[in-house]
């Protein structure tokens, strides 16, 4: 028989999280998660789920009835949208301008569908003209998939224009809003987005592990008209919705992460209290202060200003500077986390997050002071 290991309680330090996620979690959200656990079919919990659904609808700016939180992180939200809508043999135009566009391609091909790639240079927004050329060349395409806010680069694409193009060519849209929800303008109904997913740990400043998703009426019809069952039992929305909707008794699907959903409820309640447009403006204002400070330090941005995410600032690492050493010193000396580059920018750029509760002046001041000290 194995001997029980001797392990002390874990006490994490109080970090300032200014990477690409997770972001700082507010004390109110942490406190909400510590509330007593009740059953996931308890009438009081079901009533809280109804409020949570309304809060997600507000954050997405949608009246879609199929709106909920997937009990898993944003990557599962991505897979939820793809496996429910896309079937083997379907043609999907995937706009790829970073790591997460590439993950969309992988999802499409694992389903057995055909991915038609529209590639844009890393650090740039998706090229709408290139998308239209692909739509004209592939009239049998059924979907257009793109990342609204590419987390690997900090580039913001014009979701409204891309969705309008997709509609013009009778395609449904699948949109990654993991980093954009709560941080920049996003209007699901007005822009005609059909399937969208996000993450709890970015601009919502909730604990990691949940993914808000929403499906339009047209997407629901596509799901209902499938020729084969959804390949993932856990992510099959036709089953999950029996738990997230309906009057009175809900059908059991899985044991929901009760306390994490308390936290999401509180983070979205705080967002609604602040007001979406106020939150978008706050992210932009703090970005402008950070931008000025970074430029004063001689750091150059990867993304052009007109398509730059305020909540994810990607800057080139100066020549001769050791990437890992700088990030290690920031963590050790200042309890400050910034993100390393991903993919094509690995070792070449830093990603500095200003997300949700973390998008405040004291964080910006600390980041600029710490970077100045370490670089000099």
């Amino acid at each position: 028989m194995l001997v029980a290991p001797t392990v002390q309680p874990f006490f994490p330090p109080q970090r300032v999280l200014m990477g690409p996620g997770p972001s700082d979690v507010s004390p109110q959200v942490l406190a909400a998660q510590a509330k007593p656990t009740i059953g996931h079919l308890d009438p009081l919990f079901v009533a809280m789920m109804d409020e949570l659904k309304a809060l997600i609808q507000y954050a997405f700016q949608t009246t879609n009835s199929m709106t909920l939180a997937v009990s898993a992180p944003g990557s599962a939200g991505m897979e939820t949208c793809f496996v429910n809508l896309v079937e083997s043999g379907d043609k999907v135009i995937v706009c790829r301008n970073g790591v997460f566009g590439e993950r969309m391609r992988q999802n499409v091909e694992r389903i057995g569908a055909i991915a038609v790639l529209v590639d844009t240079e890393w650090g740039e927004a998706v090229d709408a003209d290139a998308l239209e050329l692909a739509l004209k060349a592939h009239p049998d395409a059924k979907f257009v998939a793109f990342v609204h806010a590419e987390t690997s680069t900090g580039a913001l694409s014009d979701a409204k224009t891309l969705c309008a193009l997709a509609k013009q060519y009778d395609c449904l849209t699948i949109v990654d809003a993991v980093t954009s929800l709560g941080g920049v303008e996003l209007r699901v109904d007005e822009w005609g987005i059909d399937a969208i997913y996000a993450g709890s740990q970015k601009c919502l400043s909730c604990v990691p592990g949940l993914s808000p998703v929403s499906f339009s009426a047209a997407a629901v019809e596509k799901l209902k008209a499938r020729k084969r069952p959804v390949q993932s039992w856990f992510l099959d929305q036709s089953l999950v919705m029996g738990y997230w909707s309906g009057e009175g008794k809900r059908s059991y699907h899985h044991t929901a992460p009760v306390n994490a959903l308390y936290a999401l409820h509180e983070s979205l309640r705080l967002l609604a209290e602040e007001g979406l447009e106020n939150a978008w403006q706050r992210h932009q204002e703090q970005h402008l202060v950070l931008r000025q400070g970074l430029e004063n330090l001689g750091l150059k941005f990867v993304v052009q200003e007109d398509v730059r995410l305020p909540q994810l600032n990607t800057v080139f690492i100066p020549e001769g500077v050791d990437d890992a050493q700088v990030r290690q010193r920031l963590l050790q000396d200042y309890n400050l986390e910034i993100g390393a580059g991903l993919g094509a920018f690995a070792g070449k750029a830093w990603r500095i997050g200003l997300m949700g509760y973390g998008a405040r002046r004291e964080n910006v001041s600390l980041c600029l002071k710490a970077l100045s000290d370490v670089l000099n």
Side-chain angles (χ1 to χ4, degrees):
M1 182 175 178
L2 285 175
V3 177
T6 302
V7 179
Q8 298 301 313
F10 179 62
F11 296 103
Q14 186 67 53
R15 305 282 199 204
V16 176
L17 301 179
M18 294 186 70
S23 63
D24 280 350
V25 180
S26 76
Q28 297 102 303
V29 173
L30 289 175
Q33 187 173 237
K35 291 176 180 176
T37 304
I38 60 176
H40 63 283
L41 293 172
D42 187 301
L44 292 177
F45 186 72
V46 169
M48 188 279 291
M49 288 172 66
D50 288 337
E51 292 181 350
L52 179 53
K53 177 177 176 178
L55 288 165
I56 298 171
Q57 288 172 320
Y58 169 71
F60 276 136
Q61 288 294 282
T62 183
T63 58
N64 289 340
S65 60
M66 189 177 277
T67 299
L68 57 108
V70 174
S71 300
S75 295
M78 171 172 57
E79 192 158 343
T80 295
C81 290
F82 281 96
V83 299
N84 278 274
L85 297 179
V86 181
E87 296 190 73
S88 177
D90 286 349
K91 186 175 284 188
V92 183
I93 297 178
V94 177
C95 303
R96 183 172 64 176
N97 63 335
V99 166
F100 294 94
E102 164 59 15
R103 289 191 184 181
M104 285 181 154
R105 179 196 67 79
Q106 292 178 26
N107 269 265
V108 169
E109 295 188 348
R110 282 171 181 263
I111 291 167
I114 302 159
V116 176
L117 292 173
V118 174
D119 278 324
T120 306
E121 198 71 29
W122 279 48
E124 296 180 6
V126 171
D127 186 336
D129 292 335
L131 171 59
E132 184 159 27
L133 287 174
L135 286 163
K136 288 178 178 176
H138 298 276
D140 55 339
K142 294 183 178 179
F143 302 92
V144 170
F146 65 88
V147 179
H148 184 211
E150 179 52 73
T151 314
S152 62
T153 68
L156 176 67
S157 291
D158 185 351
K160 183 178 181 180
T161 296
L162 298 175
C163 288
L165 271 174
K167 283 284 182 291
Q168 188 179 329
Y169 290 86
D170 296 321
C171 286
L172 297 178
T173 48
I174 300 174
V175 178
D176 179 322
V178 169
T179 298
S180 58
L181 182 64
V184 290
E185 183 179 14
L186 175 61
R187 303 180 188 276
V188 167
D189 287 357
E190 185 179 322
W191 295 352
I193 296 171
D194 291 299
I196 190 164
Y197 57 92
S200 55
Q201 78 282 16
K202 306 279 187 172
C203 294
L204 300 184
S205 281
C206 184
V207 294
L210 295 168
S211 179
V213 299
S214 188
F215 292 80
S216 71
V220 172
E221 286 306 309
K222 180 70 173 68
L223 170 57
K224 289 178 177 177
R226 288 182 62 93
K227 298 170 187 169
R228 308 172 196 83
V230 174
Q231 67 188 61
S232 168
W233 178 89
F234 182 69
L235 300 177
D236 185 344
Q237 295 305 284
S238 65
L239 303 177
V240 176
M241 279 308 292
Y243 177 53
W244 272 90
S245 64
E247 296 296 326
K249 187 177 179 181
R250 307 289 177 96
S251 60
Y252 166 72
H253 180 262
H254 66 279
T255 302
V258 171
N259 292 64
L261 288 170
Y262 294 164
L264 183 60
H265 179 277
E266 180 63 10
S267 71
L268 287 167
R269 190 193 68 79
L270 292 171
L271 177 63
E273 190 175 78
E274 179 181 12
L276 263 180
E277 293 186 346
N278 293 330
W280 299 338
Q281 182 63 28
R282 173 169 54 85
H283 283 85
Q284 179 63 18
E285 288 171 355
Q286 296 307 314
H287 159 73
L288 293 176
V289 178
L290 179 65
R291 182 197 72 183
Q292 186 62 58
L294 293 173
E295 290 176 345
N296 289 345
L297 291 173
L299 296 172
K300 298 185 183 303
F301 279 82
V302 169
V303 180
Q304 293 297 312
E305 189 170 355
D306 60 336
V307 293
R308 186 182 299 162
L309 280 171
Q311 65 267 45
L312 189 63
N313 300 265
T314 308
V315 293
F316 288 112
I317 298 169
E319 192 172 345
V321 171
D322 187 306
D323 168 29
Q325 187 179 63
V326 167
R327 288 186 291 106
Q328 184 179 28
R329 279 200 59 195
L330 291 174
L331 203 61
Q332 288 179 347
D333 298 348
Y334 296 91
N335 270 322
L336 172 66
E337 178 184 275
I338 66 171
L342 272 185
F345 291 134
K348 299 176 182 177
W350 291 315
R351 293 179 296 155
I352 303 174
L354 270 180
M355 298 183 184
Y357 180 66
R360 58 192 197 276
R361 186 62 62 91
E362 55 264 43
N363 279 14
V364 173
S365 298
L366 172 65
C367 181
L368 293 174
K369 175 67 166 64
L371 274 173
S372 177
D373 291 351
V374 171
L375 291 174
N376 291 326

